[in-house]
Amino acid sequence: MLLNQTAEKIRSMEIRGAGRIARAAAEALKDRAGRLETEDLDIFRHEMEKAAETLVSTRPTAVSLPNAVRSVMRGTAGAATVREAREGVRKAADSFVLSSEHAVERIGEIGARHIADGDVVLTHCNSEAALACILAAHREGKEIEVFATEVRPRNQGLLTVRTLNDAGIRTNFIVDSAVRSFINDVDLVVTGADAVTVNGAVVNKIGTAQIALAAHEARTNLVVAAETYKFAPRTILGERIAIEERDAAEVLDPATAASLPNVRVRNPAFDVTPAKYVDLIVTEVGAIPPQMAYCIIRDHLGWDIADFQKAF
């Protein structure tokens, strides 16, 4: 079943990156709706809710995932028959996937405006949105150079440097701990985000907060590229975003770990960068200061008081 395969690929990080995760979840829900063999609307909705819960549980930090699932599940609203509900899910999923793909393109266009000719840019992790900004600036003919981190322990930075290399962009590949050594050579830091809270704090790949501190010390601006579906509505009422801690085997070989009985491996996948260290958030609807994150949740994602009463 595509649903279970997708859930496992998201959980194991075979599918990675908040945008890719969100689109995969939308496609999996559409497939599940098409395969359900029932004409009972209550059963259909129950099975779809189970499918939604399966997907959302795979990665607790990636807000794009529940936002995508919520967007697709809205397709069942108002349906009087299973046929209408199934068609609603299909349309909602296709609409989400299309808007997500266009969002990255639009972010690239807007983000490129904030990269000047001759800039040296530092990026962290393998963010579609952040790369879109850099690639768009390069296509515009701007001479840029990039510092890209390796991103331990899963080495997502290797995917980033391959993309930059293939685009013909001069790139420096550095270990995560070397950021402070090079930050004074950098004009701009551009990262992605897995979640943005109501107060503008950014949850992103582990190491982002340290980069933000180094950038702040060096008076180097930090720009975050994030699709609007990465904004976290539930943080309005104080809910914190769960920080996923992954398997210790990603950091230390199990055989070696077994020989170290007094050592506990900690492997958080994300950290939180306070809004005061973020200069700008680039979304597909425009660039905003982090303090305007609430406006995205209210005006673009469409959460109102009634939605929060149902959600909490």
Side-chain angles (χ1 to χ4, degrees):
M1 184 189 297
L2 179 63
L3 175 78
N4 292 335
Q5 292 174 354
T6 300
E8 181 54 35
K9 287 180 179 180
I10 293 172
R11 186 179 293 108
S12 67
M13 292 182 65
E14 184 175 341
I15 298 174
R16 63 179 75 180
R20 299 182 191 97
I21 287 171
R23 291 191 292 275
E27 292 286 4
L29 286 174
K30 181 176 76 170
D31 180 78
R32 180 59 176 149
R35 291 176 183 274
L36 278 173
E37 296 180 357
T38 179
E39 295 304 320
D40 186 308
L41 186 58
D42 289 336
I43 292 175
F44 179 86
R45 283 183 167 146
H46 176 69
E47 290 299 317
M48 288 303 298
E49 289 292 343
K50 284 172 56 180
E53 291 170 7
T54 296
L55 290 165
V56 169
S57 68
T58 58
R59 297 296 301 275
T61 304
V63 171
S64 64
L65 181 53
N67 278 345
V69 168
R70 180 176 183 270
S71 179
V72 173
M73 293 298 288
R74 278 178 172 173
T76 66
T81 65
V82 168
R83 182 178 180 179
E84 289 179 6
R86 184 179 288 115
E87 181 64 11
V89 168
R90 185 191 67 78
K91 288 182 177 179
D94 289 344
S95 176
F96 180 86
V97 170
L98 185 63
S99 65
S100 171
E101 291 171 343
H102 286 173
V104 173
E105 295 172 10
R106 181 61 179 152
I107 286 171
E109 294 171 5
I110 297 171
R113 300 172 191 166
H114 299 275
I115 300 175
D117 188 27
D119 270 356
V120 177
V121 180
L122 184 146
T123 192
H124 182 60
C125 202
N126 181 239
S127 163
E128 280 186 298
L131 278 170
C133 299
I134 296 168
L135 294 171
H138 175 68
R139 285 194 298 269
E140 291 173 4
K142 295 174 181 176
E143 290 292 334
I144 57 176
E145 181 178 354
V146 177
F147 278 81
T149 53
E150 65 173 342
V151 196
R152 287 281 297 151
R154 295 296 296 251
N155 300 313
Q156 291 101 317
L158 185 56
L159 300 173
T160 295
V161 297
R162 282 176 175 157
T163 299
L164 295 170
N165 175 75
D166 291 347
I169 297 174
R170 186 169 55 172
T171 302
N172 305 279
F173 192 37
I174 61 173
V175 299
D176 299 342
S177 53
V179 166
R180 194 173 183 275
S181 296
F182 292 106
I183 196 65
N184 288 315
D185 300 326
V186 171
D187 299 297
L188 183 69
V189 176
V190 181
T191 74
D194 281 83
V196 180
T197 72
V198 68
N199 67 1
V202 172
V203 179
N204 195 47
K205 181 58 60 180
I206 191 74
T208 303
Q210 294 176 121
I211 292 171
L213 283 170
H216 180 73
E217 179 191 49
R219 300 177 65 85
T220 299
N221 281 355
L222 172 66
V223 172
V224 172
E227 301 92 318
T228 52
Y229 56 77
K230 293 178 181 176
F231 285 65
R234 290 175 178 266
T235 59
I236 287 179
L237 296 186
E239 181 174 307
R240 293 188 174 184
I241 295 171
I243 300 299
E244 178 185 0
E245 186 150 358
R246 295 186 59 79
D247 194 328
E250 292 183 351
V251 177
L252 193 63
D253 178 79
T256 302
S259 70
L260 302 168
N262 297 315
V263 174
R264 179 187 179 191
V265 175
R266 304 301 304 271
N267 184 23
F270 306 93
D271 58 24
V272 182
T273 299
K276 65 181 179 180
Y277 298 130
V278 178
D279 294 285
L280 198 68
I281 301 176
V282 178
T283 78
E284 72 271 22
V285 296
I288 62 169
Q291 294 78 12
M292 286 183 65
Y294 171 69
C295 296
I296 295 293
I297 294 170
R298 181 193 63 192
D299 300 334
H300 191 73
L301 294 183
W303 280 76
D304 58 25
I305 294 298
D307 287 318
F308 285 113
Q309 300 314 306
K310 295 174 186 175
F312 285 86

